[in-house]
Amino acid sequence: MKRRQNTIPKKIRLTEDALELIDAWAEENEVSFSAAIESLARLGMGQDASIAMIPVLVSVTRREIAKNYTRLVRLMLFSIYESGTAARFAGATAKALKPTVYDEMRDAVQKDAKLSLKKRIRSVLDDAEG
């Protein structure tokens, strides 16, 4: 697993009992061992819980994104496949019904799609910048 930015590897020694307690806490809260030990140490040192629990929050967020990333990619790939299939059927239907104007219709549809996509990309980029 990729190490979180701005972290420093540190070898520590724990008793078996402490290791089991931290592992159990990490498992119960579904976070990494590192996030668990850092948050527990910060809480033990009296740091405000809203600050002390940041490593746990980061760990949970990263895990959830990673867990759902493959699912989102699959959904996007299925959508691309289905839209390609629909476009081919629409093209075949248009060619069968209006073979004399098919090339002109196809070019107009592609031009419109490219313009629409450019507008959407510009909008997303403008939102990201602003």
Side-chain angles (χ1 to χ4, degrees):
M1 177 176 239
K2 186 177 177 186
R3 190 177 333 199
R4 196 175 88 211
Q5 279 185 320
N6 301 321
T7 61
I8 301 164
K10 182 72 176 169
K11 185 176 181 179
I12 62 169
R13 296 186 183 277
L14 300 168
T15 63
E16 192 171 320
D17 184 47
L19 181 64
E20 287 173 5
L21 287 170
I22 296 166
D23 269 335
W25 192 91
E27 189 174 316
E28 180 181 322
N29 291 283
E30 298 180 358
V31 298
S32 69
F33 181 85
S34 295
I37 198 167
E38 182 174 351
S39 289
L40 291 170
R42 288 172 176 271
L43 287 169
M45 291 184 286
Q47 195 171 51
D48 184 67
S50 63
I51 301 297
M53 296 305 283
I54 288 175
V56 168
L57 182 62
V58 169
S59 181
V60 168
T61 303
R62 284 176 164 260
R63 187 193 69 249
E64 288 302 313
I65 289 171
K67 185 168 64 174
N68 291 306
Y69 182 76
T70 302
R71 188 172 138 232
L72 292 172
V73 169
R74 283 186 190 163
L75 285 172
M76 288 175 20
L77 290 173
F78 286 135
S79 296
I80 291 167
Y81 174 80
E82 290 299 326
S83 67
T85 301
R88 284 180 179 78
F89 275 120
T93 302
K95 192 170 189 173
L97 295 175
K98 299 280 187 176
T100 56
V101 292
Y102 169 73
D103 289 335
E104 186 180 319
M105 286 187 339
R106 182 197 62 220
D107 293 344
V109 168
Q110 287 177 348
K111 183 178 180 182
D112 181 62
K114 286 177 185 174
L115 289 173
S116 178
L117 182 59
K118 284 180 183 179
K119 285 179 186 176
R120 288 203 183 241
I121 290 172
R122 267 194 221 110
S123 173
V124 168
L125 293 175
D126 289 344
D127 288 346
E129 290 174 357

